[in-house]
Amino acid sequence: MAQPTCWIVYNGNLPQKKFMDFAEWTARAAEKKGITPSIIKNNELLVSFTNGKSSISGRYENSSPDFVIFGDKDVFLAKQLEKLGIPVYNSADSIEICDNKSRMYQTLADHGIPFPKTIIAPKVFGDLHDYSHYPAIVKEIGFPMVIKEAFGSFGMQVHLAENEQRLLELMRTLKNTEYVFQEMVGSSYGRDVRINIVDGKAVACMLRRSESDFRANVSFGGKTEPYTPTEEQVQLAAACAEVTGTAFAGVDLLFGPDGSPLVCEINSNAHIRSIYECTGIDVALPMMDFILDDLKRRGSVHE
Ligand SMILES: Nc1ncnc2c1ncn2[C@@H]1O[C@H](COP(=O)(O)OP(=O)(O)O)[C@@H](O)[C@H]1O
Ligand SMILES: [Mg+2]
Protein backbone atom coordinates (compact mmCIF):
# COMPACT_ATOMS: atom_id res chain seq x y z
CA MET A 1 0.00 0.00 0.00
CA ALA A 2 1.39 3.39 -1.01
CA GLN A 3 1.95 6.01 1.70
CA PRO A 4 -1.13 8.17 2.31
CA THR A 5 -0.74 11.73 1.02
CA CYS A 6 -2.03 14.91 2.56
CA TRP A 7 -2.23 18.58 1.76
CA ILE A 8 -1.61 21.00 4.59
CA VAL A 9 -3.40 24.20 3.66
CA TYR A 10 -2.38 27.54 5.13
CA ASN A 11 -3.26 31.11 4.26
CA GLY A 12 -1.07 32.66 1.57
CA ASN A 13 -1.88 36.19 2.67
CA LEU A 14 -1.00 36.14 6.34
CA PRO A 15 2.43 37.61 6.90
CA GLN A 16 2.96 36.12 10.39
CA LYS A 17 5.40 33.23 10.53
CA LYS A 18 3.24 31.26 12.98
CA PHE A 19 0.91 30.02 10.25
CA MET A 20 3.75 28.61 8.17
CA ASP A 21 5.20 27.26 11.40
CA PHE A 22 1.95 25.33 12.05
CA ALA A 23 2.10 23.88 8.53
CA GLU A 24 5.75 22.82 8.84
CA TRP A 25 5.20 21.41 12.31
CA THR A 26 2.22 19.36 11.15
CA ALA A 27 4.13 18.19 8.08
CA ARG A 28 6.92 16.82 10.28
CA ALA A 29 4.36 14.94 12.41
CA ALA A 30 2.75 13.54 9.24
CA GLU A 31 6.12 12.28 7.98
CA LYS A 32 6.79 10.61 11.33
CA LYS A 33 3.53 8.72 10.89
CA GLY A 34 4.33 7.57 7.34
CA ILE A 35 2.21 10.17 5.53
CA THR A 36 3.55 12.22 2.58
CA PRO A 37 2.60 15.88 3.14
CA SER A 38 2.54 18.85 0.74
CA ILE A 39 2.23 22.37 2.14
CA ILE A 40 -0.10 24.42 -0.06
CA LYS A 41 -1.41 28.00 0.14
CA ASN A 42 -5.18 28.50 0.05
CA ASN A 43 -4.81 30.82 -2.94
CA GLU A 44 -3.20 28.03 -4.95
CA LEU A 45 -6.49 26.13 -4.74
CA LEU A 46 -9.21 28.10 -6.50
CA VAL A 47 -12.84 27.31 -5.75
CA SER A 48 -14.31 27.34 -9.26
CA PHE A 49 -17.70 26.77 -10.84
CA THR A 50 -18.08 26.06 -14.54
CA ASN A 51 -21.43 25.22 -16.12
CA GLY A 52 -22.83 24.75 -12.63
CA LYS A 53 -20.15 22.21 -11.72
CA SER A 54 -17.67 22.76 -8.90
CA SER A 55 -13.96 22.07 -9.03
CA ILE A 56 -10.60 23.22 -7.73
CA SER A 57 -8.66 25.04 -10.44
CA GLY A 58 -5.15 26.46 -10.48
CA ARG A 59 -1.84 24.78 -9.88
CA TYR A 60 -3.23 21.64 -8.26
CA GLU A 61 -6.30 21.10 -10.41
CA ASN A 62 -5.30 17.64 -11.56
CA SER A 63 -4.21 16.21 -8.26
CA SER A 64 -5.94 15.22 -5.06
CA PRO A 65 -4.59 13.96 -1.73
CA ASP A 66 -5.98 11.27 0.57
CA PHE A 67 -6.89 13.98 3.05
CA VAL A 68 -6.39 17.64 3.92
CA ILE A 69 -5.27 19.26 7.15
CA PHE A 70 -6.87 22.65 7.04
CA GLY A 71 -4.71 25.21 8.85
CA ASP A 72 -6.79 28.06 7.48
CA LYS A 73 -10.28 29.51 7.85
CA ASP A 74 -11.14 29.73 4.15
CA VAL A 75 -14.34 27.80 4.73
CA PHE A 76 -15.55 27.88 1.14
CA LEU A 77 -12.34 26.17 0.08
CA ALA A 78 -12.65 23.61 2.90
CA LYS A 79 -16.25 22.93 1.88
CA GLN A 80 -15.30 22.57 -1.79
CA LEU A 81 -12.61 20.00 -0.95
CA GLU A 82 -15.20 18.05 1.05
CA LYS A 83 -17.65 18.23 -1.86
CA LEU A 84 -14.96 16.65 -4.03
CA GLY A 85 -14.91 13.74 -1.58
CA ILE A 86 -11.65 14.60 0.19
CA PRO A 87 -11.70 14.23 4.01
CA VAL A 88 -10.83 17.58 5.59
CA TYR A 89 -9.61 18.00 9.21
CA ASN A 90 -11.07 19.97 10.91
CA SER A 91 -14.28 19.85 8.91
CA ALA A 92 -15.45 22.97 7.09
CA ASP A 93 -18.56 23.22 9.29
CA SER A 94 -16.60 23.01 12.53
CA ILE A 95 -14.13 25.66 11.36
CA GLU A 96 -17.03 27.90 10.38
CA ILE A 97 -18.67 27.57 13.82
CA CYS A 98 -15.46 28.34 15.72
CA ASP A 99 -14.27 31.10 13.41
CA ASN A 100 -17.19 33.39 14.26
CA LYS A 101 -17.47 33.90 18.02
CA SER A 102 -21.18 34.86 17.78
CA ARG A 103 -21.87 31.65 15.93
CA MET A 104 -19.77 29.70 18.45
CA TYR A 105 -21.60 31.10 21.50
CA GLN A 106 -24.97 30.43 19.89
CA THR A 107 -23.90 26.81 19.32
CA LEU A 108 -22.69 26.44 22.93
CA ALA A 109 -26.00 27.83 24.21
CA ASP A 110 -27.89 25.28 22.06
CA HIS A 111 -26.23 22.61 24.19
CA GLY A 112 -26.42 24.32 27.60
CA ILE A 113 -22.65 24.79 27.84
CA PRO A 114 -21.72 27.52 30.36
CA PHE A 115 -19.95 30.69 29.21
CA PRO A 116 -19.98 34.32 30.45
CA LYS A 117 -23.12 36.38 29.90
CA THR A 118 -22.97 37.58 26.30
CA ILE A 119 -25.03 39.80 24.01
CA ILE A 120 -24.46 39.79 20.25
CA ALA A 121 -24.18 43.34 18.91
CA PRO A 122 -27.18 44.08 16.67
CA LYS A 123 -26.27 44.21 12.98
CA VAL A 124 -25.28 47.65 11.71
CA PHE A 125 -24.89 48.82 8.11
CA GLY A 126 -22.20 51.48 7.70
CA ASP A 127 -21.97 53.83 10.71
CA LEU A 128 -23.75 53.37 14.03
CA HIS A 129 -26.53 55.98 14.34
CA ASP A 130 -29.06 54.34 16.62
CA TYR A 131 -27.71 53.73 20.12
CA SER A 132 -31.07 52.78 21.63
CA HIS A 133 -29.84 49.29 22.61
CA TYR A 134 -27.02 50.83 24.67
CA PRO A 135 -28.82 51.28 28.09
CA ALA A 136 -30.11 47.69 28.08
CA ILE A 137 -26.62 46.38 27.39
CA VAL A 138 -25.09 48.42 30.23
CA LYS A 139 -27.90 47.29 32.55
CA GLU A 140 -27.50 43.61 31.61
CA ILE A 141 -23.72 43.37 31.56
CA GLY A 142 -22.27 46.33 33.49
CA PHE A 143 -18.63 47.42 33.77
CA PRO A 144 -15.94 46.46 33.21
CA MET A 145 -17.22 44.89 29.99
CA VAL A 146 -15.39 42.71 27.46
CA ILE A 147 -15.99 43.54 23.80
CA LYS A 148 -15.02 40.73 21.46
CA GLU A 149 -14.95 41.00 17.72
CA ALA A 150 -16.52 37.94 16.11
CA PHE A 151 -13.42 37.27 14.04
CA GLY A 152 -10.12 37.50 15.86
CA SER A 153 -7.23 35.63 17.45
CA PHE A 154 -4.28 36.03 19.81
CA GLY A 155 -6.39 38.41 21.93
CA MET A 156 -5.90 41.18 19.34
CA GLN A 157 -9.61 41.75 18.69
CA VAL A 158 -10.68 41.49 22.35
CA HIS A 159 -11.16 44.83 24.14
CA LEU A 160 -11.96 46.06 27.63
CA ALA A 161 -14.48 48.84 28.26
CA GLU A 162 -13.95 50.05 31.83
CA ASN A 163 -16.62 52.73 31.63
CA GLU A 164 -19.39 54.25 29.49
CA GLN A 165 -17.08 56.59 27.61
CA ARG A 166 -14.79 53.76 26.47
CA LEU A 167 -17.77 51.57 25.57
CA LEU A 168 -19.30 54.29 23.40
CA GLU A 169 -15.92 54.89 21.76
CA LEU A 170 -15.57 51.16 20.97
CA MET A 171 -19.12 50.93 19.62
CA ARG A 172 -18.48 53.93 17.38
CA THR A 173 -15.18 52.53 16.11
CA LEU A 174 -16.41 48.99 15.61
CA LYS A 175 -19.67 50.21 13.98
CA ASN A 176 -20.54 47.50 11.43
CA THR A 177 -17.89 44.98 12.55
CA GLU A 178 -19.51 41.85 14.01
CA TYR A 179 -18.84 41.69 17.77
CA VAL A 180 -20.28 40.67 21.14
CA PHE A 181 -20.64 42.41 24.53
CA GLN A 182 -19.54 40.09 27.31
CA GLU A 183 -19.44 40.05 31.07
CA MET A 184 -15.89 40.34 32.44
CA VAL A 185 -15.08 37.34 34.60
CA GLY A 186 -13.02 39.12 37.26
CA SER A 187 -12.04 35.86 38.97
CA SER A 188 -10.15 34.94 35.79
CA TYR A 189 -8.49 38.33 35.16
CA GLY A 190 -5.27 37.65 33.19
CA ARG A 191 -5.67 33.87 33.60
CA ASP A 192 -7.08 31.06 31.53
CA VAL A 193 -6.60 27.36 30.85
CA ARG A 194 -5.89 25.97 27.39
CA ILE A 195 -6.88 22.35 26.89
CA ASN A 196 -6.06 20.63 23.61
CA ILE A 197 -8.63 18.02 22.72
CA VAL A 198 -8.03 15.34 20.09
CA ASP A 199 -10.87 12.96 19.27
CA GLY A 200 -12.74 13.86 22.47
CA LYS A 201 -9.75 13.37 24.77
CA ALA A 202 -7.62 15.98 26.55
CA VAL A 203 -4.07 15.44 25.27
CA ALA A 204 -2.30 18.51 26.69
CA CYS A 205 -3.09 21.36 29.01
CA MET A 206 -1.48 24.58 30.21
CA LEU A 207 -2.29 27.52 32.42
CA ARG A 208 -1.68 30.97 30.97
CA ARG A 209 -1.16 33.95 33.21
CA SER A 210 -0.43 37.54 32.26
CA GLU A 211 0.77 40.07 34.81
CA SER A 212 0.25 42.98 32.43
CA ASP A 213 -3.16 42.46 30.77
CA PHE A 214 -6.61 40.95 31.35
CA ARG A 215 -5.95 38.78 28.29
CA ALA A 216 -3.88 35.70 29.09
CA ASN A 217 -2.76 35.22 25.46
CA VAL A 218 0.97 34.75 24.97
CA SER A 219 0.83 37.80 22.64
CA PHE A 220 -0.26 39.87 25.69
CA GLY A 221 2.43 38.76 28.07
CA GLY A 222 0.82 35.45 29.07
CA LYS A 223 3.35 33.08 30.64
CA THR A 224 2.54 29.41 30.31
CA GLU A 225 2.94 26.59 32.79
CA PRO A 226 1.91 22.93 32.60
CA TYR A 227 -1.40 22.40 34.35
CA THR A 228 -3.37 19.36 35.44
CA PRO A 229 -6.99 20.13 34.62
CA THR A 230 -9.83 19.16 36.93
CA GLU A 231 -12.27 16.50 35.77
CA GLU A 232 -14.86 19.27 35.33
CA GLN A 233 -12.53 21.25 33.06
CA VAL A 234 -11.74 18.16 30.96
CA GLN A 235 -15.43 17.27 30.61
CA LEU A 236 -16.32 20.81 29.61
CA ALA A 237 -13.53 21.07 27.03
CA ALA A 238 -14.51 17.69 25.54
CA ALA A 239 -18.16 18.79 25.35
CA CYS A 240 -17.05 21.94 23.49
CA ALA A 241 -15.21 19.85 20.90
CA GLU A 242 -18.20 17.55 20.53
CA VAL A 243 -20.85 20.23 20.00
CA THR A 244 -18.68 22.19 17.55
CA GLY A 245 -17.72 19.01 15.68
CA THR A 246 -13.99 19.65 16.01
CA ALA A 247 -11.78 16.55 15.87
CA PHE A 248 -8.98 18.76 17.24
CA ALA A 249 -9.60 21.83 19.35
CA GLY A 250 -7.76 24.26 21.57
CA VAL A 251 -10.37 25.10 24.19
CA ASP A 252 -9.85 28.18 26.40
CA LEU A 253 -11.54 28.05 29.80
CA LEU A 254 -11.96 30.82 32.36
CA PHE A 255 -12.11 30.41 36.13
CA GLY A 256 -15.67 31.27 37.16
CA PRO A 257 -16.44 33.16 40.40
CA ASP A 258 -17.49 29.96 42.22
CA GLY A 259 -14.45 28.06 40.93
CA SER A 260 -16.32 26.24 38.17
CA PRO A 261 -15.06 26.64 34.62
CA LEU A 262 -16.65 28.84 31.95
CA VAL A 263 -15.88 28.55 28.25
CA CYS A 264 -13.96 31.47 26.79
CA GLU A 265 -13.62 30.17 23.24
CA ILE A 266 -12.88 27.16 21.07
CA ASN A 267 -10.10 27.28 18.50
CA SER A 268 -10.58 24.92 15.58
CA ASN A 269 -7.15 25.99 14.26
CA ALA A 270 -5.14 25.97 17.46
CA HIS A 271 -1.44 26.62 17.17
CA ILE A 272 0.54 23.84 18.75
CA ARG A 273 4.03 25.20 19.26
CA SER A 274 3.41 26.98 22.58
CA ILE A 275 1.70 23.96 24.16
CA TYR A 276 4.69 21.86 23.03
CA GLU A 277 7.18 24.34 24.46
CA CYS A 278 5.25 24.37 27.75
CA THR A 279 4.42 20.68 28.18
CA GLY A 280 6.71 18.78 25.79
CA ILE A 281 3.60 17.23 24.21
CA ASP A 282 3.43 17.31 20.42
CA VAL A 283 -0.32 17.49 19.83
CA ALA A 284 0.21 16.92 16.09
CA LEU A 285 1.14 13.26 16.72
CA PRO A 286 -2.22 12.20 18.23
CA MET A 287 -3.87 14.33 15.52
CA MET A 288 -2.23 12.14 12.86
CA ASP A 289 -3.15 8.94 14.72
CA PHE A 290 -6.76 10.08 14.82
CA ILE A 291 -6.77 10.93 11.10
CA LEU A 292 -5.28 7.57 10.09
CA ASP A 293 -7.91 5.74 12.19
CA ASP A 294 -10.67 7.91 10.80
CA LEU A 295 -9.56 7.25 7.21
CA LYS A 296 -9.67 3.51 7.92
CA ARG A 297 -13.17 3.89 9.33
CA ARG A 298 -14.18 5.75 6.17
CA GLY A 299 -12.55 3.07 4.05
CA SER A 300 -10.26 5.65 2.39
CA VAL A 301 -7.00 4.01 3.45
CA HIS A 302 -6.37 0.29 3.79
CA GLU A 303 -3.81 -1.46 5.94
N1 LIG B 1 -15.29 37.38 29.55
C1 LIG B 1 -14.00 37.40 29.89
N2 LIG B 1 -13.61 37.67 31.16
C2 LIG B 1 -12.29 37.69 31.49
N3 LIG B 1 -11.29 37.49 30.62
C3 LIG B 1 -11.62 37.21 29.34
C4 LIG B 1 -12.98 37.15 28.91
N4 LIG B 1 -13.00 36.85 27.60
C5 LIG B 1 -11.73 36.75 27.22
N5 LIG B 1 -10.88 36.96 28.26
C6 LIG B 1 -9.41 36.93 28.19
O1 LIG B 1 -9.04 37.39 26.91
C7 LIG B 1 -8.30 36.38 26.20
C8 LIG B 1 -8.67 36.41 24.72
O2 LIG B 1 -10.04 36.09 24.53
P1 LIG B 1 -10.51 34.99 23.49
O3 LIG B 1 -11.99 34.98 23.50
O4 LIG B 1 -9.83 33.70 23.78
O5 LIG B 1 -10.03 35.61 22.09
P2 LIG B 1 -8.87 35.21 21.08
O6 LIG B 1 -9.55 34.43 20.02
O7 LIG B 1 -8.34 36.48 20.55
O8 LIG B 1 -7.83 34.41 21.84
C9 LIG B 1 -8.66 35.08 26.90
O9 LIG B 1 -7.65 34.12 26.75
C10 LIG B 1 -8.87 35.52 28.34
O10 LIG B 1 -7.64 35.57 29.04
MG1 LIG C 1 -8.20 32.56 22.87
Side-chain angles (χ1 to χ4, degrees), residues 8-287:
I8 300 172
V9 175
Y10 76 106
N11 194 287
N13 278 288
L14 281 170
Q16 296 98 323
K17 281 211 170 62
K18 40 193 157 197
F19 297 96
M20 188 55 179
D21 180 61
F22 171 86
E24 287 171 348
W25 189 288
T26 318
R28 278 194 297 276
E31 278 166 353
K32 280 188 199 157
K33 297 286 178 182
I35 301 160
T36 308
S38 311
I39 296 176
I40 297 181
K41 295 186 287 190
N42 71 314
N43 56 342
E44 293 177 306
L45 300 167
L46 304 176
V47 176
S48 309
F49 308 101
T50 309
N51 298 328
K53 212 169 155 273
S54 21
S55 66
I56 296 288
S57 66
R59 201 170 149 197
Y60 294 91
E61 65 188 18
N62 293 318
S63 52
S64 112
D66 290 311
F67 69 93
V68 171
I69 295 174
F70 211 76
D72 190 24
K73 297 187 175 174
D74 190 336
V75 289
F76 291 106
L77 172 58
K79 195 95 219 151
Q80 186 89 337
L81 293 163
E82 286 175 353
K83 283 175 193 294
L84 296 172
I86 305 168
V88 177
Y89 304 95
N90 275 315
S91 69
D93 285 349
S94 69
I95 293 174
E96 190 175 18
I97 291 171
C98 297
D99 188 28
N100 183 329
K101 289 189 168 71
S102 301
R103 180 93 200 275
M104 177 192 73
Y105 289 129
Q106 208 157 41
T107 304
L108 294 181
D110 283 346
H111 296 86
I113 291 183
F115 59 93
K117 184 166 196 163
T118 300
I119 296 177
I120 295 179
K123 188 167 183 71
V124 169
F125 295 98
D127 288 333
L128 180 66
H129 300 294
D130 184 346
Y131 287 81
S132 53
H133 51 294
Y134 172 82
I137 283 158
V138 173
K139 183 161 173 272
E140 281 290 317
I141 298 192
F143 295 104
M145 191 187 294
V146 175
I147 304 291
K148 252 180 223 193
E149 297 179 37
F151 299 99
S153 6
F154 312 116
M156 314 258 272
Q157 287 77 20
V158 176
H159 317 276
L160 188 62
E162 301 86 352
N163 51 40
E164 298 204 355
Q165 191 195 338
R166 178 69 182 134
L167 175 58
L168 285 168
E169 197 179 284
L170 280 165
M171 287 170 73
R172 231 182 338 263
T173 320
L174 291 175
K175 49 185 196 175
N176 55 0
T177 305
E178 280 182 55
Y179 68 95
V180 303
F181 304 93
Q182 190 171 76
E183 168 193 7
M184 153 61 98
V185 181
S187 46
S188 202
Y189 193 98
R191 270 190 324 147
D192 73 0
V193 171
R194 160 61 61 92
I195 302 184
N196 282 78
I197 299 283
V198 176
D199 189 22
K201 290 178 270 308
V203 296
C205 181
M206 64 183 176
L207 180 72
R208 296 187 297 193
R209 210 196 304 252
S210 173
E211 299 292 331
S212 52
D213 202 278
F214 77 102
R215 292 160 291 192
N217 303 74
V218 174
S219 313
F220 284 91
K223 299 272 179 290
T224 63
E225 51 188 274
Y227 177 80
T228 306
T230 64
E231 193 48 38
E232 197 182 5
Q233 288 168 327
V234 169
Q235 297 291 336
L236 184 58
C240 288
E242 186 180 347
V243 305
T244 53
T246 40
F248 331 121
V251 181
D252 293 345
L253 299 179
L254 300 169
F255 295 92
D258 63 353
S260 47
L262 292 170
V263 178
C264 179
E265 68 151 342
I266 301 138
N267 297 281
S268 57
N269 299 53
H271 288 250
I272 49 187
R273 176 183 283 279
S274 58
I275 194 107
Y276 175 76
E277 285 170 353
C278 175
T279 64
I281 297 169
D282 183 352
V283 173
L285 297 172
M287 282 166 57

